[in-house]
Amino acid sequence: MSLETEAAVRHEPPHTDPIARFERLLAEARGVERALLPEPTAFALGTVSPDGWPAVRILLLKAVDERGFVFYTNYESRKGRELLASGRAAMCFHWQPLEVQVRVEGTVAPVSDAEADRYFASRARGSQIGAWASLQSRPIEPPRALEERVAEFERKFEGSPVPRPPHWSGFRLAPRAIEFWKNMPSRLHVRHRYTREDGGWRVETLYP
């Protein structure tokens, strides 16, 4: 990157709408060759337990709009229980080929049953059966219990559509803050932080 290009990136005014900015970046990430970026919707989700222990894992984003960022899980899993208990979470997207990172912090709430039903119906049948069979985050005892549960639910739903399990649904993270990070030479990265304020967004440029 030339000095002129670097200066232009650094001093370019931030976009006023962080959701629209995120959607443009996601579209750009989706256009990257799959060998370089296999899962452009992948993100790290951070939660915290009632006694203060943090945990992070990788999930896939399923929808985003002005209301927030949507993902799905088993509500009886560790992350499901922690999200329901705290109502708060953080996300981080890292698109290495674009040299861009996006961090999101906010409150979480369950999506509607209708929204969850529509998404569940779009999943592959094997994934639908897996949602019934997996006692997510619990120990597998005895060793072949998972395979046996898969076979049990395959028999149960043979010849009919698989309904959504009552313990499986989605969350929507409503952002209170979104930060965009762009890699720059000499580790003098560009950081724009958007914070909810009076129905709009306050934008700050942060030191790297």
Side-chain angles (χ1 to χ4, degrees), residues 66-87:
E66 67 281 356
R67 296 173 296 168
F69 300 76
V70 176
F71 55 93
Y72 290 85
T73 189
N74 185 321
Y75 277 15
E76 296 176 353
S77 66
R78 176 178 175 178
K79 62 181 173 296
R81 289 183 280 110
E82 291 181 352
L83 290 167
L84 290 170
S86 72

Side-chain angles (χ1 to χ4, degrees), residues 12-95:
E12 179 184 359
H15 299 273
T16 57
D17 182 351
I19 299 298
R21 182 174 181 177
F22 176 86
E23 290 176 322
R24 285 192 290 271
L25 283 169
L26 179 59
E28 189 175 346
R30 290 182 190 274
V32 173
E33 184 181 346
R34 188 171 180 82
L36 298 176
L37 188 57
E39 289 286 2
T41 64
F43 67 94
L45 175 72
T47 62
V48 64
S49 68
D51 54 355
W53 286 101
V56 180
R57 72 288 284 164
I58 303 298
L59 280 75
L60 300 180
L61 181 72
K62 295 304 178 183
V64 59
D65 58 25
E66 67 281 356
R67 296 173 296 168
F69 300 76
V70 176
F71 55 93
Y72 290 85
T73 189
N74 185 321
Y75 277 15
E76 296 176 353
S77 66
R78 176 178 175 178
K79 62 181 173 296
R81 289 183 280 110
E82 291 181 352
L83 290 167
L84 290 170
S86 72
R88 297 176 181 179
M91 315 168 80
C92 182
F93 297 83
H94 182 217
W95 297 309

Side-chain angles (χ1 to χ4, degrees), residues 127-196:
S127 297
Q128 293 175 336
I129 293 292
W132 281 94
S134 176
L135 302 175
Q136 195 171 356
S137 299
R138 302 181 205 175
I140 296 178
E141 298 175 354
R144 294 191 59 80
L146 177 58
E147 290 81 358
E148 292 169 358
R149 286 180 60 83
V150 168
E152 173 191 345
F153 286 105
E154 285 177 338
R155 290 192 298 270
K156 179 176 181 177
F157 297 120
E158 185 176 3
S160 63
V162 180
R164 178 174 62 88
H167 57 266
W168 191 98
S169 190
F171 287 99
R172 176 174 284 103
L173 189 154
R176 62 179 291 276
I178 304 177
E179 181 185 316
F180 295 85
W181 174 97
K182 172 65 177 175
N183 184 50
M184 296 291 283
S186 302
R187 303 192 68 80
L188 299 177
H189 313 307
V190 174
R191 295 173 63 189
H192 294 148
R193 182 174 175 86
Y194 296 73
T195 306
R196 287 275 191 194

